[in-house]
Amino acid sequence: MSKNLKVGVFGVFRGMALVNNLKLNNCELVAMCDYNEEHLQRALARCDKDVAVYRNFDSFIEHDMDICVLANFFHEHASYAIRCFEKGIHVYSECISNGTMAEGVELVRAFEKTENVVYMLAENYPQMVFNLEMQNTVKTGTLGKIIYAEGEYNHPFNPYDIGISKTFEPYHWRNFCPSSYYITHSLGPVMKATGAIPKQVSCLNMFSPIPESDPVVKNNGDKVSIITTQNDDGSIFRVVGCSRFGGHHNAYRICGTKGQIENLRGMGNKVMLRYNEWEIPEGKEEINCYEAQWNDKDEELIKTAGHGGSDFITARIFVEAIKANKQPEFPFDVYSATVMSSVAILAHRSMLDGGKPYEIPDFRKEEDRAKWENDRLTPFWSTDGKAPTLPCCSVTDYKPTDEQIKKYKMLAGIE
Ligand SMILES: NC(=O)c1ccc[n+]([C@@H]2O[C@H](COP(=O)([O-])OP(=O)(O)OC[C@H]3O[C@@H](n4cnc5c(N)ncnc54)[C@H](O)[C@@H]3O)[C@@H](O)[C@H]2O)c1
């Protein structure tokens, strides 16, 4: 049997779930780093053997490891990925890959200086069973030329369920995240299914703030960003970031010139495949409605994993890439990752600019890097205390009321 890959995890909240799936793929956890004592102790309690513990990244990155899992704050992955590159450590980065355009440029420049380092965006939603079914159907060619796709990651939350917003940290990224930024769960699956790469984006938001009677501390009162991209093959995507409209669902739809496939909202893993009545392929009906199946050698392990089993397959793609000494498949490589981040960031700029279209750069090209290399505008607070330089909401002076903050603190048991 080949040697186990040694894993270090930076940010142990989501990070421990990622590690568990790497462990199922012949990796071992050797080190963890987090400065939140409560999160650290909870993670340690889940370990079945001795693991080195660090509270700052500088000491942690000196530990002997093959892989670093980056599950720290959403908008602060890029600079740590670069530190890993410098040490020759493979990177499994939570989404998104970069929080600013300049960081996207820095990430690809640093990546290109590495040798034999694998970078993977740990975007898991394309590996959900219905999305795999859509990918396989597109590959048959029976849908014709793919011209349009939709991706919705729709995640309303109960404001009284404090668990989802974790502890009260007024400057935490979840309290400042624009609606377009959490994009990889909607855009990743449609890029994977179609192979298309966004080239232009425009966006409009719907403002509908949480009622003032509810205990919510978010500075973004938008319910949804409707994001439209025109792609390199002429096709169009209509995706959302993290939205909060209607019932909870992850919904995707891929349309070709001859037919379409979609998963059915609120119906588990059911998919609907339809063809034009004059273009029905042999063995199919005009309307085919069925449960997507895994048909995977690791089905039992997949069923133990989070996010509908997708966390396991995502980890497997990464480990297989390392073992084959190649970059992960599209769209999990560093260039696709920065395209997704550019769509997130520039959709927000478009929305603030009345829906004006923005071109999506290709960071393989030096002229596109030069255009964005100094653009550090951000809607987030940084861990070292730098204030946002952009509003995070379409109503640019929106913020939670004192009453909401007071109610939130009471519910969370915070003084
Ligand atoms: N793919 C998925 O399905 C999925 C699900 C949940 C979260 N995520 C992603 O995982 C990442 C983390 O999310 P989360 O919900 O765990 O958020 P979180 O903000 O609660 O956790 C981040 C953790 O990193 C630690 N941390 C941050 N900066 C640090 C530093 N400089 N030094 C030491 N520790 C530091 C924090 O203390 C915290 O424990 C985000 O990018 C999020 O988008 C992805």
Side-chain angles (χ1 to χ4, degrees), residues 161-210:
D161 181 3
I162 295 292
I164 195 151
S165 50
K166 323 277 167 51
T167 52
F168 177 67
E169 298 175 65
Y171 304 119
H172 190 262
W173 62 269
R174 285 188 196 275
N175 296 332
F176 287 84
C177 194
S179 302
S180 69
Y181 268 60
Y182 212 110
I183 192 133
T184 62
H185 295 345
S186 55
L187 183 56
V190 294
M191 281 176 70
K192 175 80 177 127
T194 65
I197 303 171
K199 286 300 194 198
Q200 184 178 287
V201 66
S202 60
C203 174
L204 293 174
N205 280 15
M206 219 290 287
F207 178 71
S208 169
I210 309 285

Side-chain angles (χ1 to χ4, degrees), residues 13-14 34 39 73 77 95 124 172-174 182 307:
F13 201 80
R14 164 72 175 149
D34 203 303
H39 291 180
F73 297 135
H77 298 138
C95 22
N124 46 348
H172 190 262
W173 62 269
R174 285 188 196 275
Y182 212 110
H307 295 95

